Amino acid sequence: MPASRPFHDEIVRLVRRIPRGKVATYGQIAAMLGRPRAARAVGSALRKLGGPLARVVPWHRVLNSAGRISRRDREFMDLQRELLEREGVRMRRGGAVDLERARWNRAAAKRLSTR
DNA sequence: CAAGTGACGTAGA
DNA sequence: GTCTACGCCACTT
């Protein structure tokens, strides 16, 4: 059995709240959890979603800071893009989502200040 | 405990 | 727009 992963669980709980048609970034999720520099960890956590969780967590609504799909595997990219478009999230030619328009919880995301 | 590993982010070229 | 180089951090080995 996997060891306890508290941060992982917090990530899952938060990502589950992203509404249909909206997206968030890894950095945004990390910041909202009080760890503005743990974006990589957010990605790793979602990467490990498997079995039942993958069907309940809207992992496809999480993108990188450029509004693009981070994973390289073509199959995976196609799936994520499909799931997004299915709920009305359109992508530009370069394959990027307009975050200004589709970002979830802009207010909270505002405190993404780099510093 | 030390080293390795990324669904990351930013700055710079 | 693309690409690299680094820093960062939770997790794994």
Side-chain angles (χ1 to χ4, degrees), chain A residues 16-27:
Chain A
R16 286 191 54 159
R17 296 171 34 192
I18 304 175
R20 276 177 64 91
K22 289 294 180 183
V23 300
T25 65
Y26 299 100

Side-chain angles (χ1 to χ4, degrees), chain A residues 22-35:
Chain A
K22 289 294 180 183
V23 300
T25 65
Y26 299 100
Q28 176 185 343
I29 297 299
M32 289 173 81
L33 291 176
R35 291 169 177 70

Side-chain angles (χ1 to χ4, degrees), chain A residues 61-100:
Chain A
R61 297 177 187 145
V62 186
L63 303 167
N64 64 29
S65 66
R68 306 180 23 57
I69 292 170
S70 279
R71 216 166 151 173
R72 268 107 174 256
D73 320 43
R74 215 184 115 257
E75 278 185 42
F76 210 92
M77 288 184 67
D78 291 342
L79 172 60
Q80 184 162 7
R81 198 175 59 183
E82 167 66 24
L83 290 171
L84 285 172
E85 293 188 340
R86 189 180 296 175
E87 51 188 65
V89 177
R90 310 295 249 350
M91 299 181 88
R92 298 167 146 197
R93 251 197 114 166
V97 168
D98 182 354
L99 293 176
E100 282 292 318

